[in-house]
Amino acid sequence: SKFTNMAVLELVKVAVVVLLSAQLVESIYFKETFEDGIGSRWVHSKDKKSDGEATYDGEFELQKDSEGNSAIVASTESRHYALTSQLDKVVSFGDKPLVIQYDVTYQEDATCGGSYMKLLSQPADGDLDLEKVNDKSGYTIMFGPDKCGADSKLHFIFRFKNPVNNEWREVHAHRITDASSLLFSDKKTHLVTLVIKPDNTFVVSVDQKQVLAGILGASDKFEPALSPPKKIDDPEDKKPEDWVDESMINDPEDVKPEDWDKPAQIIDPESSMPEEWDAEEDGEWEPPMIDNPEYKGEFVAKKIENPEYKGVWSPKQIENPAYFEEENPFKNLAPIGAVSFELWTTFAGITFDNIIITDNEEEASALAAETYEAKRKLQDASDPNTSWSAWFSEFLTSLTEFSSENPIKAIAIGLAVLSPVAIVMFILNGSDDEAEAAEGDAETEGKEGDEDDEDQAKKEKAGKKKAKAEEKEEDNGEEGDAESEEVETTTPRRSLRSRARKMKD
């Protein structure tokens, strides 16, 4: 019957939805939006760092924003953090890609601290002890931002076990030159994504824009590269003691002349102490120095070729016993069993949210659209520096797409929209110019006032000096008068005495 057919159709639809949902769930190794809180799945480490002294004294706190979105925050500055969760299922590298994605926000200015995520290797003999996670816990991949001072990074590091000597080798992707402006220049949410594919290609993206891509472990994208060098220095080969590796030497016949040494500066012979100089007020007068025209600089002997030079010494090269080549590193990466934020930071407010580890790029993109894009849209809208530019960029993109089909209409629309915008910008810029001109006039008046004050101060100082000089002259005049009176009074007395002596004689 018709009813039976409709019922069967509905059952088929439900079955398809369930099947698709099961496939999506099957593709997700780990997903965390913190809407249910931190919960018991996340464990704080009780271990110490490998130095045996520092403890993981920082605890992540759950925080909700104005829109009700939950996230975890490193809320205390200058702390060591270690928060780890077991994956829902172990990542085994095979014929499906691996996608790692999360968003991070810096509520305070980033000074020095990590905000990367470690994907810990699954032990072959059982599960990880999450309470014992520390900085030496083995990881397969480390991915995420890191900053200390002017040094900004976006890490992508993977560890690979050397099949020759069974030693773990850390392979670091090249630095991203604009990591500072991409991640640390504002307090907005940033999305970091890493995709590694079974064909050994990888892509690193920030805010859904590719910033690095290449072949996993290749020498043009990683330093050191995955494969160690084929040749290495012979550790047994030592440089001979009599080896001469200086190609040039001082000419023994080039001797410094006896009159070479002259001071670099001398007293200016034309200088003299100003008449208005007051030692009590101005201090002891020192004559100015000038460059000595006879100064020749430091004597340097001429160089000649060293007759005993043997060339640059280097040790012999031997085959590297640890050398290996790996054609398919993706499939030989160590399985991943847990995700961990094992960090040290000097600043608080690092916020993590919307973590997904999956083998389905579409699932990661869907989560980003639902969470990150919604958050950034609100943040950009409230930012006057980006809301206008975002609208303008979106308008130009739409206009460009429309122009391919209707070029004439596109030109007309562009002129109709952009002409009023240009007029408004011109008016605003004119207002800014007038304001700047007014500020400039105010600064000029201020400077003139300062110059008048300086001139007045100089005049007062000169007046004080002149008054002191006049006082000195008066004092000298009085002393001179007194001396004259004394001479006048003493001279007659001496004359009388001399006459009296003559009379006695």
Side-chain angles (χ1 to χ4, degrees):
S1 67
K2 185 177 179 180
F3 177 78
T4 304
N5 291 336
M6 290 179 64
V8 171
L9 183 60
E10 289 299 320
L11 288 173
V12 170
K13 288 181 179 179
V14 171
V16 170
V17 171
V18 171
L19 180 61
L20 291 174
S21 300
Q23 288 177 344
L24 289 176
V25 172
E26 183 69 21
S27 70
I28 297 175
Y29 302 106
F30 185 84
K31 184 177 180 181
E32 178 65 89
T33 60
F34 299 104
E35 295 306 316
D36 297 326
I38 296 178
S40 59
R41 74 186 301 189
W42 291 94
V43 178
H44 286 277
S45 177
K46 296 181 180 179
D47 202 0
K48 292 184 177 181
K49 296 202 71 170
S50 58
D51 60 10
E53 297 180 3
T55 59
Y56 291 100
D57 51 357
E59 290 194 8
F60 285 94
E61 296 180 0
L62 187 70
Q63 188 178 90
K64 286 193 175 184
D65 62 18
S66 58
E67 301 298 319
N69 299 314
S70 298
I72 58 169
V73 183
S75 57
T76 309
E77 63 184 24
S78 301
R79 292 287 188 272
H80 296 275
Y81 292 84
L83 185 67
T84 309
S85 175
Q86 203 82 37
L87 299 187
D88 296 331
K89 63 176 182 175
V90 175
V91 176
S92 298
F93 295 89
D95 57 357
K96 293 184 179 181
L98 176 66
V99 183
I100 304 165
Q101 180 177 281
Y102 65 97
D103 65 54
V104 58
T105 310
Y106 304 100
Q107 299 181 26
E108 299 181 8
D109 292 335
T111 51
C112 187
S115 44
Y116 43 79
M117 188 166 66
K118 291 181 178 180
L119 277 67
L120 304 183
S121 304
Q122 176 71 14
D125 55 354
D127 292 335
L128 286 160
D129 187 345
L130 305 188
E131 291 186 347
K132 292 185 177 179
V133 170
N134 64 17
D135 55 320
K136 292 299 182 181
S137 297
Y139 64 87
T140 300
I141 294 172
M142 186 174 112
F143 174 64
D146 190 12
K147 185 179 189 296
C148 197
D151 188 16
S152 300
K153 302 175 183 176
L154 177 58
H155 289 295
F156 168 33
I157 306 170
F158 70 91
R159 293 171 75 244
F160 197 88
K161 196 171 187 178
N162 187 323
V164 176
N165 57 15
N166 290 326
E167 293 181 358
W168 288 98
R169 182 176 178 82
E170 283 191 0
V171 188
H172 295 242
H174 285 178
R175 296 171 66 99
I176 296 170
T177 55
D178 50 352
S180 179
S181 60
L182 288 173
L183 295 161
F184 302 104
S185 61
D186 55 36
K187 295 181 175 62
K188 297 180 182 180
T189 299
H190 295 284
L191 185 75
V192 290
T193 308
L194 170 65
V195 179
I196 313 175
K197 296 185 177 181
D199 63 357
N200 297 299
T201 58
F202 76 93
V203 175
V204 175
S205 301
V206 175
D207 296 335
Q208 301 173 317
K209 295 180 182 178
Q210 178 179 307
V211 295
L212 185 67
I215 302 298
L216 194 65
S219 59
D220 64 333
K221 298 296 181 181
F222 291 83
E223 179 60 38
L226 175 59
S227 295
K230 289 184 178 181
K231 301 277 188 178
I232 61 171
D233 294 342
D234 184 356
E236 302 297 327
D237 190 17
K238 307 295 182 183
K239 183 170 73 171
E241 293 182 359
D242 60 348
W243 188 274
V244 179
D245 48 16
E246 293 181 355
S247 61
M248 303 294 287
I249 59 172
N250 292 337
D251 185 353
E253 297 182 1
D254 187 17
V255 181
K256 181 172 70 174
E258 294 182 357
D259 62 345
W260 183 274
D261 292 329
K262 301 287 183 181
Q265 289 195 319
I266 58 173
I267 295 175
D268 185 356
E270 298 181 1
S271 66
S272 60
M273 186 174 71
E275 294 181 359
E276 67 274 12
W277 189 274
D278 187 343
E280 293 181 1
E281 185 172 340
D282 300 326
E284 183 180 355
W285 182 77
E286 294 182 0
M289 305 294 287
I290 61 172
D291 291 337
N292 187 355
E294 298 182 2
Y295 177 66
K296 299 179 181 179
E298 184 181 354
F299 176 79
V300 179
K302 292 187 294 185
K303 296 287 185 179
I304 61 172
E305 293 184 0
N306 187 352
E308 298 182 2
Y309 176 62
K310 296 183 178 181
V312 178
W313 184 87
S314 59
K316 293 186 296 184
Q317 296 291 291
I318 61 173
E319 298 291 332
N320 184 358
Y323 176 76
F324 71 93
E325 290 185 6
E326 181 55 64
E327 295 182 357
N328 198 348
F330 178 83
K331 291 186 177 180
N332 288 296
L333 290 171
I336 298 169
V339 56
S340 180
F341 292 106
E342 190 276 316
L343 312 165
W344 153 254
T345 178
T346 60
F347 64 100
I350 306 177
T351 307
F352 300 100
D353 199 5
N354 303 311
I355 307 163
I356 186 168
I357 302 170
T358 178
D359 59 21
N360 189 323
E361 292 184 66
E362 293 181 0
E363 184 70 14
S365 297
L367 179 62
E370 181 185 346
T371 57
Y372 160 75
E373 291 179 21
K375 280 196 283 188
R376 275 304 295 258
K377 190 173 183 179
L378 291 172
Q379 292 168 353
D380 290 341
S382 62
D383 184 353
N385 295 322
T386 57
S387 57
W388 169 260
S389 61
W391 174 88
F392 189 70
S393 176
E394 186 176 349
F395 171 76
L396 289 180
T397 301
S398 301
L399 189 64
T400 302
E401 294 174 355
F402 181 70
S403 65
S404 62
E405 298 178 359
N406 302 280
I408 296 176
K409 289 184 178 179
I411 294 172
I413 293 172
L415 290 174
V417 174
L418 296 180
S419 295
V421 172
I423 293 171
V424 172
M425 294 299 293
F426 177 78
I427 294 171
L428 292 175
N429 287 336
S431 301
D432 292 341
D433 292 340
E434 291 177 3
E436 289 177 2
E439 289 178 2
D441 293 340
E443 289 180 2
T444 303
E445 291 177 1
K447 289 180 179 178
E448 290 176 355
D450 293 341
E451 290 175 358
D452 293 340
D453 293 342
E454 290 179 3
D455 292 339
Q456 183 63 30
K458 289 180 180 178
K459 288 179 181 179
E460 290 179 359
K461 185 176 180 180
K464 289 180 180 179
K465 288 185 177 181
K466 185 176 180 181
K468 284 189 176 182
E470 289 177 354
E471 289 177 3
K472 284 186 177 181
E473 288 180 3
E474 290 177 1
D475 293 341
N476 291 337
E478 291 176 358
E479 290 176 2
D481 294 340
E483 289 176 359
S484 300
E485 291 177 1
E486 185 178 351
V487 171
E488 289 177 359
T489 54
T490 54
T491 303
R493 290 175 184 173
R494 288 177 181 173
S495 301
L496 291 172
R497 287 175 186 171
S498 58
R499 288 178 183 177
R501 286 174 183 171
K502 287 182 179 179
M503 292 176 64
K504 285 182 180 180
D505 295 336

